[in-house]
Every structure is written in structure tokens, then in C-alpha cells.
Amino acid sequence: MSVKYRLVQEKRKNAKNLGKWYARAVAVGMADTKVLAKNIGLRCTVTYPDILAVISSLVTEISLQLQEGKRVKLDGLGSFKIGLKTSAAETASTFSPAANIHGLHVLFSPEVTIDSSNHVRHNPLIEGVRVENLADYQDAGTQIAVNERKSKNAGNGAAAGDDKPASGNTDNNNSGSNTPGSGSGSTGNDDKEF
């Protein structure tokens, strides 16, 4: 299996890469608690109801620990902590929680290990993940890329029938970006809406 992507054009007026194209990860389904419990049950001797009970208790416990201001670390997965959405105050003495703190959110940091021999960072959650264009999703970016390849191939004397969408593999040194390659700047943020 692989992570699917579609091509998206940067349309924000003040963006550094306005008009340029980049890959956006596309979720192709949902694995909820029941799916996880069923799959975990296939790999161990614990029963499905017991797994559901443990996952439910884990969610409750993580919430309680976060409410106490603690960072919660799950070995092999990562850590959770509370983040604040705030606005600036002119001075420390004029800062007011009621006026300057506007909300809370949960921050997740996946577990990362560093290979001592070559200092390469490894994220076990994405080790071996491949990326490919979502073949069933023919977005405008994919069509433009296909047409550009056809034009380029026709100009070079190559076969013009090569209209396969772009695809690629990430290497094991992927630092967590959702685009093939190193991808930097404001275009790697999956939170923004288009």
C-alpha cells in the first residue's frame, strides 16, 4: 500500500510560491477504533472486546494526563501535549489569560530515533511508506502534468502516449513531509484549506 496524493496549485495571494504546484496527501479511508481492535486481535491472543476496552481507557487516560499539564509519551508512537493559541501583549504585566489566550489544541510529535552511525533520523510511523498519485482522482493538476509531459515527449521525438500520472517513492530518510523529496516552505502544510 502507499500514501496517495493529488496535485494542488498554490492560490494564496501573498504566497511565495503563488501559482506553483505541489503534492497534497489524500486520505482514502478511515481506520477507526473498531478496525484497529479487529486487526490487533488478529496479531495477538487478546480478544476484540478487551482491546476495545483498553483503547477506550487509553484515550480517557491520555485526556486526563493532558489536563494535568503533562506530556504523554507512547513508546513507538510519539508524544502528545497541550498547545496554546495566544495573542501578544505589549508587556508581561499587561498579559491576561482571559484576553490573550484564545484556545487550546493538542500537539502530536511522532517518535523519532537517530542512527548513531550516520546521524540519520528515522520515524517508525512512516518507514517504508511509498507515495503515488491517486489514480481515481483526476484533479486539474494531474491533467496539466499529463498534458505537459505529452507536449514535452512530442517535442523530444519520444512516444506521446505516455500519460501515466507522476508517482514516486520516499526513502527511509523522509523527515515527515507529505511530498516526495525534501519539500520546504509554506506548501507542505496539510492543515490549510483550498
Side-chain angles (χ1 to χ4, degrees):
M1 293 298 288
S2 60
V3 173
K4 307 297 190 283
Y5 71 87
R6 63 183 174 95
L7 295 177
V8 177
Q9 188 175 30
E10 177 62 79
K11 295 182 180 178
R12 294 177 298 168
K13 292 180 182 178
N14 296 330
K16 179 177 81 173
N17 294 316
L18 179 64
K20 295 187 178 179
W21 294 85
Y22 59 96
R24 170 64 46 102
V26 178
V28 293
M30 173 72 72
D32 63 10
T33 303
K34 291 179 180 179
V35 170
L36 296 176
K38 179 183 173 190
N39 291 344
I40 292 168
L42 296 174
R43 288 193 289 280
C44 67
T45 59
V46 181
T47 65
Y48 174 80
D50 291 337
I51 295 168
L52 284 177
V54 169
I55 292 174
S56 176
S57 296
L58 177 64
V59 170
T60 300
E61 189 59 28
I62 288 173
S63 177
L64 292 172
Q65 295 298 323
L66 291 174
Q67 289 173 31
E68 291 184 13
K70 295 179 181 175
R71 177 186 297 262
V72 178
K73 181 176 185 282
L74 298 177
D75 295 337
L77 180 66
S79 61
F80 301 85
K81 71 175 186 174
I82 297 292
L84 301 176
K85 181 177 181 182
T86 68
S87 58
E90 291 298 321
T91 64
S93 62
T94 60
F95 182 89
S96 161
N100 297 100
I101 298 177
H102 306 292
L104 304 169
H105 54 273
V106 176
L107 299 169
F108 172 71
S109 298
E111 182 174 291
V112 176
T113 58
I114 299 176
D115 188 331
S116 60
S117 64
N118 57 11
H119 305 289
V120 173
R121 297 167 58 94
H122 294 280
N123 180 337
L125 291 176
I126 59 172
E127 290 286 326
V129 172
R130 295 181 326 110
V131 295
E132 66 179 287
N133 200 332
L134 183 59
D136 295 336
Y137 187 93
Q138 289 299 316
D139 58 44
T142 302
Q143 271 321 123
I144 289 171
V146 167
N147 293 339
E148 286 175 355
R149 270 190 229 104
K150 282 182 181 179
S151 296
K152 185 176 181 179
N153 288 339
N156 292 336
D162 183 15
D163 61 352
K164 292 180 183 175
S167 66
N169 294 336
T170 59
D171 59 15
N172 287 343
N173 298 332
N174 188 329
S175 63
S177 71
N178 64 352
T179 58
S182 61
S184 62
S186 65
T187 60
N189 182 355
D190 269 344
D191 294 334
K192 64 183 176 189
E193 296 293 325
F194 291 93

Short mmCIF file of all heavy atoms in Angstrom, two decimals, residues 111-138:
data_model
loop_
_atom_site.label_atom_id
_atom_site.label_comp_id
_atom_site.label_asym_id
_atom_site.label_seq_id
_atom_site.Cartn_x
_atom_site.Cartn_y
_atom_site.Cartn_z
N GLU A 111 7.38 9.66 17.32
CA GLU A 111 8.68 9.22 17.85
C GLU A 111 9.70 9.18 16.72
O GLU A 111 9.43 8.69 15.63
CB GLU A 111 8.55 7.84 18.48
CG GLU A 111 9.85 7.36 19.09
CD GLU A 111 9.67 6.06 19.84
OE1 GLU A 111 9.01 6.08 20.89
OE2 GLU A 111 10.21 5.04 19.38
N VAL A 112 10.87 9.72 17.00
CA VAL A 112 11.96 9.73 16.03
C VAL A 112 13.20 9.18 16.72
O VAL A 112 13.50 9.53 17.85
CB VAL A 112 12.23 11.16 15.51
CG1 VAL A 112 13.43 11.19 14.59
CG2 VAL A 112 11.01 11.71 14.80
N THR A 113 13.90 8.28 16.02
CA THR A 113 15.17 7.78 16.53
C THR A 113 16.27 8.26 15.60
O THR A 113 16.03 8.50 14.42
CB THR A 113 15.18 6.24 16.61
OG1 THR A 113 14.94 5.71 15.31
CG2 THR A 113 14.14 5.73 17.57
N ILE A 114 17.47 8.39 16.14
CA ILE A 114 18.61 8.84 15.34
C ILE A 114 19.64 7.72 15.30
O ILE A 114 20.08 7.22 16.33
CB ILE A 114 19.22 10.12 15.92
CG1 ILE A 114 18.18 11.24 15.91
CG2 ILE A 114 20.47 10.54 15.13
CD1 ILE A 114 18.63 12.53 16.55
N ASP A 115 20.00 7.32 14.08
CA ASP A 115 21.00 6.28 13.88
C ASP A 115 22.36 6.86 14.28
O ASP A 115 22.82 7.83 13.69
CB ASP A 115 21.00 5.85 12.41
CG ASP A 115 21.88 4.64 12.16
OD1 ASP A 115 22.87 4.45 12.91
OD2 ASP A 115 21.59 3.89 11.22
N SER A 116 23.01 6.27 15.28
CA SER A 116 24.27 6.81 15.79
C SER A 116 25.41 6.71 14.79
O SER A 116 26.36 7.49 14.85
CB SER A 116 24.66 6.13 17.10
OG SER A 116 24.82 4.74 16.89
N SER A 117 25.32 5.77 13.84
CA SER A 117 26.42 5.62 12.90
C SER A 117 26.45 6.69 11.82
O SER A 117 27.51 7.14 11.41
CB SER A 117 26.37 4.23 12.25
OG SER A 117 25.19 4.11 11.48
N ASN A 118 25.28 7.13 11.37
CA ASN A 118 25.26 8.13 10.30
C ASN A 118 24.38 9.34 10.62
O ASN A 118 24.17 10.21 9.78
CB ASN A 118 24.81 7.51 8.97
CG ASN A 118 23.45 6.86 9.08
OD1 ASN A 118 22.73 7.01 10.07
ND2 ASN A 118 23.08 6.10 8.06
N HIS A 119 23.85 9.40 11.83
CA HIS A 119 23.04 10.52 12.33
C HIS A 119 21.79 10.77 11.50
O HIS A 119 21.32 11.89 11.40
CB HIS A 119 23.88 11.80 12.44
CG HIS A 119 25.10 11.63 13.27
ND1 HIS A 119 25.03 11.48 14.64
CD2 HIS A 119 26.40 11.54 12.94
CE1 HIS A 119 26.26 11.32 15.11
NE2 HIS A 119 27.11 11.35 14.11
N VAL A 120 21.24 9.72 10.89
CA VAL A 120 20.01 9.84 10.11
C VAL A 120 18.82 9.64 11.04
O VAL A 120 18.80 8.74 11.87
CB VAL A 120 19.99 8.80 8.97
CG1 VAL A 120 18.64 8.80 8.26
CG2 VAL A 120 21.11 9.06 7.99
N ARG A 121 17.81 10.51 10.89
CA ARG A 121 16.60 10.42 11.70
C ARG A 121 15.64 9.40 11.08
O ARG A 121 15.44 9.40 9.88
CB ARG A 121 15.92 11.78 11.79
CG ARG A 121 16.78 12.82 12.48
CD ARG A 121 16.25 14.23 12.28
NE ARG A 121 14.90 14.41 12.73
CZ ARG A 121 14.56 14.87 13.94
NH1 ARG A 121 15.49 15.20 14.79
NH2 ARG A 121 13.29 15.02 14.26
N HIS A 122 15.04 8.55 11.94
CA HIS A 122 14.09 7.55 11.48
C HIS A 122 12.78 7.73 12.23
O HIS A 122 12.77 7.85 13.45
CB HIS A 122 14.62 6.13 11.72
CG HIS A 122 15.83 5.80 10.91
ND1 HIS A 122 15.76 5.43 9.60
CD2 HIS A 122 17.14 5.81 11.23
CE1 HIS A 122 16.97 5.22 9.13
NE2 HIS A 122 17.83 5.44 10.12
N ASN A 123 11.68 7.77 11.50
CA ASN A 123 10.35 7.84 12.08
C ASN A 123 9.66 6.51 11.78
O ASN A 123 9.30 6.24 10.63
CB ASN A 123 9.56 9.00 11.47
CG ASN A 123 8.17 9.12 12.04
OD1 ASN A 123 7.61 8.17 12.56
ND2 ASN A 123 7.60 10.30 11.92
N PRO A 124 9.47 5.65 12.80
CA PRO A 124 8.91 4.32 12.54
C PRO A 124 7.50 4.35 11.94
O PRO A 124 7.09 3.40 11.29
CB PRO A 124 8.91 3.64 13.91
CG PRO A 124 9.22 4.68 14.90
CD PRO A 124 9.81 5.85 14.20
N LEU A 125 6.76 5.43 12.14
CA LEU A 125 5.40 5.50 11.60
C LEU A 125 5.39 5.60 10.08
O LEU A 125 4.42 5.21 9.44
CB LEU A 125 4.64 6.70 12.18
CG LEU A 125 4.28 6.63 13.65
CD1 LEU A 125 3.63 7.93 14.09
CD2 LEU A 125 3.35 5.46 13.92
N ILE A 126 6.48 6.13 9.50
CA ILE A 126 6.49 6.29 8.04
C ILE A 126 7.61 5.52 7.36
O ILE A 126 7.82 5.67 6.15
CB ILE A 126 6.58 7.78 7.65
CG1 ILE A 126 7.82 8.44 8.23
CG2 ILE A 126 5.32 8.52 8.05
CD1 ILE A 126 8.07 9.84 7.72
N GLU A 127 8.31 4.66 8.10
CA GLU A 127 9.36 3.84 7.49
C GLU A 127 8.76 2.99 6.38
O GLU A 127 7.76 2.30 6.59
CB GLU A 127 10.02 2.93 8.53
CG GLU A 127 10.88 3.65 9.54
CD GLU A 127 12.21 4.11 8.97
OE1 GLU A 127 12.78 3.44 8.11
OE2 GLU A 127 12.67 5.18 9.41
N GLY A 128 9.34 3.05 5.21
CA GLY A 128 8.91 2.21 4.10
C GLY A 128 7.66 2.67 3.37
O GLY A 128 7.17 1.99 2.49
N VAL A 129 7.09 3.82 3.74
CA VAL A 129 5.89 4.31 3.07
C VAL A 129 6.25 4.79 1.67
O VAL A 129 7.25 5.47 1.46
CB VAL A 129 5.24 5.47 3.87
CG1 VAL A 129 4.11 6.10 3.09
CG2 VAL A 129 4.75 4.97 5.21
N ARG A 130 5.44 4.40 0.69
CA ARG A 130 5.59 4.88 -0.67
C ARG A 130 4.50 5.91 -0.94
O ARG A 130 3.47 5.91 -0.28
CB ARG A 130 5.43 3.72 -1.67
CG ARG A 130 6.50 2.67 -1.58
CD ARG A 130 6.33 1.54 -2.59
NE ARG A 130 4.96 1.18 -2.91
CZ ARG A 130 4.35 1.42 -4.08
NH1 ARG A 130 4.96 2.03 -5.05
NH2 ARG A 130 3.10 1.04 -4.28
N VAL A 131 4.71 6.76 -1.93
CA VAL A 131 3.67 7.71 -2.34
C VAL A 131 3.37 7.49 -3.82
O VAL A 131 4.25 7.11 -4.59
CB VAL A 131 4.09 9.18 -2.09
CG1 VAL A 131 4.25 9.46 -0.62
CG2 VAL A 131 5.35 9.54 -2.84
N GLU A 132 2.11 7.70 -4.19
CA GLU A 132 1.72 7.61 -5.59
C GLU A 132 0.49 8.48 -5.81
O GLU A 132 -0.29 8.73 -4.89
CB GLU A 132 1.45 6.17 -5.99
CG GLU A 132 0.26 5.53 -5.31
CD GLU A 132 0.02 4.10 -5.78
OE1 GLU A 132 -0.44 3.92 -6.91
OE2 GLU A 132 0.31 3.19 -4.99
N ASN A 133 0.36 8.92 -7.05
CA ASN A 133 -0.78 9.75 -7.40
C ASN A 133 -2.05 8.92 -7.27
O ASN A 133 -2.08 7.75 -7.64
CB ASN A 133 -0.63 10.27 -8.84
CG ASN A 133 -1.48 11.48 -9.10
OD1 ASN A 133 -2.52 11.67 -8.49
ND2 ASN A 133 -1.03 12.30 -10.02
N LEU A 134 -3.09 9.52 -6.76
CA LEU A 134 -4.36 8.85 -6.60
C LEU A 134 -5.00 8.71 -7.98
O LEU A 134 -5.53 9.66 -8.53
CB LEU A 134 -5.27 9.63 -5.65
CG LEU A 134 -6.62 9.03 -5.32
CD1 LEU A 134 -6.45 7.66 -4.68
CD2 LEU A 134 -7.37 9.93 -4.37
N ALA A 135 -4.91 7.52 -8.55
CA ALA A 135 -5.33 7.29 -9.93
C ALA A 135 -6.80 7.60 -10.16
O ALA A 135 -7.18 8.06 -11.22
CB ALA A 135 -5.03 5.84 -10.32
N ASP A 136 -7.64 7.36 -9.16
CA ASP A 136 -9.07 7.60 -9.33
C ASP A 136 -9.43 9.07 -9.20
O ASP A 136 -10.56 9.45 -9.45
CB ASP A 136 -9.87 6.80 -8.30
CG ASP A 136 -9.72 5.31 -8.50
OD1 ASP A 136 -9.40 4.90 -9.63
OD2 ASP A 136 -9.90 4.56 -7.53
N TYR A 137 -8.49 9.90 -8.78
CA TYR A 137 -8.80 11.31 -8.55
C TYR A 137 -8.09 12.12 -9.63
O TYR A 137 -6.92 12.43 -9.51
CB TYR A 137 -8.32 11.73 -7.15
CG TYR A 137 -8.76 13.12 -6.79
CD1 TYR A 137 -9.93 13.34 -6.08
CD2 TYR A 137 -8.01 14.23 -7.16
CE1 TYR A 137 -10.34 14.60 -5.74
CE2 TYR A 137 -8.42 15.51 -6.83
CZ TYR A 137 -9.59 15.69 -6.12
OH TYR A 137 -9.99 16.95 -5.80
N GLN A 138 -8.77 12.44 -10.69
CA GLN A 138 -8.18 13.20 -11.79
C GLN A 138 -8.39 14.69 -11.53
O GLN A 138 -9.34 15.28 -12.01
CB GLN A 138 -8.78 12.77 -13.13
CG GLN A 138 -8.36 11.39 -13.56
CD GLN A 138 -6.84 11.29 -13.75
OE1 GLN A 138 -6.23 12.15 -14.32
NE2 GLN A 138 -6.26 10.21 -13.25
#
